[in-house]
Amino acid sequence: MSDYPSALLARLSLNQETVRQWSLPQLADGCARAGVRGVGLWRAPVHAYGVRAAARLVRDAGLRVTSLCRGGFFTATDPGERAAALDDNRAAVDEAAALGTDTLVLVSGGLPAGSRDLAGARERIADALGELGPYAAERGVRLALEPLHPMYAADRCVVSTLAQALDLAERFPAAQVGVVVDTYHLWWDDTVGAQIARAGAAGGAPSRIAAFQLADWVTPLPEGVLLGRGQLGDGSVDLRWFRERVEAAGCYRGPIEVEIFNPALWARDGAEVLAEIVDRFRTHVG
Amino acid sequence: MSDYPSALLARLSLNQETVRQWSLPQLADGCARAGVRGVGLWRAPVHAYGVRAAARLVRDAGLRVTSLCRGGFFTATDPGERAAALDDNRAAVDEAAALGTDTLVLVSGGLPAGSRDLAGARERIADALGELGPYAAERGVRLALEPLHPMYAADRCVVSTLAQALDLAERFPAAQVGVVVDTYHLWWDDTVGAQIARAGAAGGAPSRIAAFQLADWVTPLPEGVLLGRGQLGDGSVDLRWFRERVEAAGCYRGPIEVEIFNPALWARDGAEVLAEIVDRFRTHVG
C-alpha cells in the first residue's frame, strides 16, 4: 500500500455497525491495528459499555470518534412523546460531548401512526432543531440532519433528499445544524451534485456538511430494507464521484465514514472485513 | 352509493395486476358488473389470450383500455440488446393501438450490469424516446414515461422523480411523450406538487400527464420491494391531495387507474377486492 494517499486514508472512519460482531474493545483494537484512526459509534453499545469507559477506551487507542448515531425521531404529535424525544436528544448531545465528537447524527423520524402529513412532520423537525441547536452548540456538538432514502419516508425519516435537509438546516446557524451526505441514501438523485455545491457555497465555516458516509447500493433489497447495504464497490454508487463533489464544494475535508449494515459482513471475521474495507476504499474512493 | 360523484367513478380504471387472480374474461365480466368502465392491461396476459381476442373481449364488455403496461427497458449499452428493445417497444405500440388505448406505459430500465453511469442511462432513454415517439404517435399511441420510486433506480428505472421524467419528456412533442403520475412512486417528494403543475402549465393539448395511477404506501416493505403496495387508504399517501393537484394542473381529467401489486389482494375473491377498491376510492380519492 505504499502508493496509497495517506492523507485520504487518515480520513477513513469505521462506523461500528459495519462490524457489529465486534465489541467496543475489539473495535478499538481492530481499528488501531488496521491504521484506521476514526470510529463512528452508536448509542446503544456505548450505553452498554458505559459512556465514560467508551470515551476512555477509544481515546487510549488513539482513535477519534467521528460521529455518534443517533438522535432524532422528532415527528411525534403527542406532547409527552415530543418532550421525551427532546430529553433523549439532549442526553445524546451530552454523550456526544463526552465521547469527544462534534457530530450527532439525526434520523428525523417518519410519519406518526395514521398521519399523511409530510409537511407537518417536517415542520416539527424544524421546531426540534430550533430547541436543540443552542443546547448542542454550547457543548461543542453539531446536529447533523441526515436525509434518508425515500424508501424510509413513512417509518423512519421524512427528510428524503439533500435539498430538503438543507432547506431545514439553513434556517439555523451553521454551527448548530449541518447535514449528512450518505451515498446510500442520495446516490439516485440527479440534483445531489448541485445540492452538495449548495452546502459548500454558503461560505464561511463551518460548512453545512457535517458528515460524509459511504455505503454501496446493491439489490435485491431484503425484507424491511434496513440491512441490505453493499460493501464499497459491490454496487451502483459512483463513490469517487461523491468524494470529489464533496471536496469540490470546498468545505469538507473531514472524516469519511464507512457505514454498512449487512449481515453477510457481520458473519465474517471483523479484521478481515476491515481489511477489505480499506482495500475497497483505496480502489473505489481514493 | 347514491351520494357518489358519478363523474369521478366513471374515471376509475382497474389495472389488471391488482386482481391477478382473475383471467381476462373474469376481469371484463367483473368490471362490467361493478360498474368500473376502464381497465389497464399488461402485455403478458394479453399475449396469452391473444391481442385481437383481448381487444374484442374488453370492447364487448363495454370497457375502455386505459393503458397498456409496459414498454421501456431502454438502457442497455449493447447494440443488439438495444435494437431488440426498440423492436419490442414497436410491438408494444402496435398492441396498444390494437387494444384501443392511447397510452403505453414505459418502465425505462435500470443500470446495465456493472455500470454506475446514471446520466448516461438517462440519455439512452432520451435516444429511445426520440426513435419511438413518431412511430407511436402515427398509431395514436403516446409513450408514457413513468418515474419509479428511487428504490428501483438500480435495477428497474433510472427515472426516479417527476422532474426527471418531465426533463426527458419535454424534449419531445407532447403528443409523442407524456408522463405517468403514480402516487406510490412519488408521494414522498416535496417537489411533486410543483412538478404536477409544471406538467399542466405547458398549456395546449395534450397535457404531459398521460396517466394517473393510485396505490398506497405501506410498510414493512417485502423482500425485493416489488409486491408491497397498499390498498387505497391503508398507508401514508394523501391520495385526495394528489387527485386535486392533478386536476388543479388544469390538464388531466382522464382515467384514474388503481394499480396495486399485493399478494394479500391476490389471495382474495376478485369481486370482493374490486368492491373494496370502489369503496376506498370513494372514501379516499373522491
Side-chain angles (χ1 to χ4, degrees):
Chain A
M1 306 233 302
S2 59
D3 60 339
Y4 190 80
S6 59
L8 194 66
L9 182 58
R11 294 170 59 196
L12 174 61
S13 172
L14 179 66
N15 187 285
Q16 75 173 122
E17 279 296 290
T18 308
V19 285
R20 187 188 280 186
Q21 64 273 47
W22 267 352
S23 66
L24 263 174
Q26 288 175 314
L27 177 75
D29 182 59
C31 285
R33 285 176 188 272
V36 171
R37 293 153 61 171
V39 288
L41 299 182
W42 281 66
R43 293 182 72 198
V46 166
H47 289 176
Y49 193 78
V51 177
R52 285 171 191 277
R56 192 165 48 239
L57 175 78
V58 170
R59 193 172 53 238
D60 289 350
L63 297 171
R64 170 182 170 194
V65 180
T66 55
S67 73
L68 179 65
C69 287
R70 62 187 186 208
F73 292 94
F74 295 133
T75 51
T77 48
D78 176 78
E81 280 183 56
R82 180 163 181 76
L86 290 172
D87 282 347
D88 186 55
N89 275 275
R90 279 184 282 265
V93 166
D94 294 344
E95 291 159 22
L99 292 165
T101 179
D102 57 3
T103 303
L104 176 64
V105 174
L106 303 181
V107 172
S108 300
L111 289 170
S115 171
R116 300 184 178 101
D117 181 12
L118 288 166
R122 291 175 185 138
E123 278 309 306
R124 290 192 294 281
I125 295 165
D127 290 347
L129 294 173
E131 289 207 36
L132 293 168
Y135 182 91
E138 285 164 18
R139 286 151 186 82
V141 175
R142 187 148 64 142
L143 305 174
L145 193 64
E146 179 163 22
L148 258 57
H149 193 283
M151 68 187 176
Y152 303 117
D155 52 0
R156 305 189 84 76
C157 184
V158 295
V159 180
S160 304
T161 62
L162 189 53
Q164 290 175 354
L166 287 168
D167 287 346
L168 284 165
E170 288 173 358
R171 299 197 206 179
F172 307 98
Q176 293 181 11
V177 184
V179 298
V180 181
V181 174
D182 183 318
T183 61
Y184 188 76
H185 298 302
L186 304 177
W187 74 280
W188 57 271
D189 183 357
D190 63 342
T191 73
V192 72
Q195 294 299 323
I196 290 171
R198 171 185 167 191
S207 144
R208 286 285 173 186
I209 300 178
F212 178 36
Q213 297 183 323
L214 305 180
D216 215 332
W217 180 273
V218 292
T219 57
L221 294 167
E223 183 181 359
V225 301
L226 280 177
L227 307 182
R229 299 193 187 195
Q231 170 65 286
L232 311 183
D234 279 353
S236 304
V237 182
D238 190 339
L239 299 167
R240 184 174 292 105
W241 180 92
F242 263 93
R243 180 185 61 79
E244 290 171 352
R245 291 290 86 64
V246 166
E247 292 180 358
C251 59
Y252 188 82
R253 295 272 174 173
I256 305 175
E257 204 174 281
V258 175
E259 185 185 55
I260 306 170
F261 311 147
N262 190 320
L265 296 186
W266 301 335
R268 293 166 54 191
D269 174 69
E272 180 191 302
V273 170
L274 181 51
E276 185 179 82
I277 285 170
V278 171
D279 185 57
R280 297 296 184 92
F281 186 81
R282 183 178 54 168
T283 306
H284 296 283
V285 184
Chain B
M1 305 238 301
S2 60
D3 61 337
Y4 191 80
S6 60
L8 196 65
L9 182 58
R11 293 169 59 196
L12 174 61
S13 172
L14 180 66
N15 187 286
Q16 77 174 118
E17 278 296 290
T18 308
V19 285
R20 186 188 280 187
Q21 64 272 51
W22 268 352
S23 66
L24 262 175
Q26 288 174 314
L27 177 76
D29 182 59
C31 285
R33 285 177 188 271
V36 171
R37 291 151 62 170
V39 287
L41 300 182
W42 281 66
R43 292 181 72 197
V46 165
H47 288 175
Y49 194 79
V51 177
R52 285 170 192 277
R56 193 165 49 238
L57 175 78
V58 171
R59 192 171 56 237
D60 288 351
L63 297 170
R64 171 183 170 193
V65 180
T66 56
S67 73
L68 179 64
C69 288
R70 64 191 184 207
F73 292 93
F74 294 134
T75 51
T77 47
D78 175 78
E81 280 183 55
R82 179 162 183 78
L86 291 172
D87 282 347
D88 186 55
N89 275 275
R90 281 184 281 265
V93 167
D94 295 344
E95 291 159 22
L99 292 165
T101 180
D102 57 4
T103 304
L104 176 64
V105 174
L106 303 182
V107 171
S108 299
L111 289 170
S115 172
R116 301 184 177 102
D117 180 11
L118 287 166
R122 291 175 185 137
E123 279 308 305
R124 291 193 292 281
I125 294 166
D127 290 347
L129 294 173
E131 289 208 37
L132 292 169
Y135 182 91
E138 285 165 15
R139 285 150 186 84
V141 174
R142 186 149 64 142
L143 305 174
L145 194 63
E146 181 163 20
L148 258 57
H149 193 283
M151 67 187 176
Y152 302 118
D155 52 0
R156 307 188 83 75
C157 184
V158 294
V159 180
S160 302
T161 63
L162 189 53
Q164 290 175 353
L166 287 167
D167 286 347
L168 284 164
E170 288 173 356
R171 300 198 204 177
F172 307 98
Q176 292 180 14
V177 184
V179 297
V180 181
V181 174
D182 185 317
T183 62
Y184 188 76
H185 298 301
L186 304 176
W187 74 279
W188 57 271
D189 182 357
D190 63 342
T191 73
V192 71
Q195 294 299 324
I196 290 171
R198 170 185 169 190
S207 141
R208 286 286 173 186
I209 299 178
F212 178 36
Q213 296 183 323
L214 304 180
D216 214 334
W217 180 273
V218 293
T219 56
L221 294 167
E223 184 182 359
V225 301
L226 279 176
L227 306 182
R229 300 193 187 193
Q231 171 64 285
L232 311 183
D234 280 353
S236 304
V237 183
D238 190 339
L239 298 167
R240 183 175 292 103
W241 180 91
F242 263 93
R243 180 185 61 78
E244 290 172 352
R245 289 291 85 64
V246 165
E247 291 180 359
C251 60
Y252 188 81
R253 295 270 174 174
I256 305 176
E257 203 175 282
V258 175
E259 185 186 55
I260 306 170
F261 312 147
N262 190 318
L265 295 187
W266 300 336
R268 293 167 55 192
D269 173 71
E272 181 191 302
V273 170
L274 182 51
E276 185 178 83
I277 285 170
V278 171
D279 185 57
R280 297 294 186 92
F281 186 82
R282 184 177 54 169
T283 304
H284 296 282
V285 184

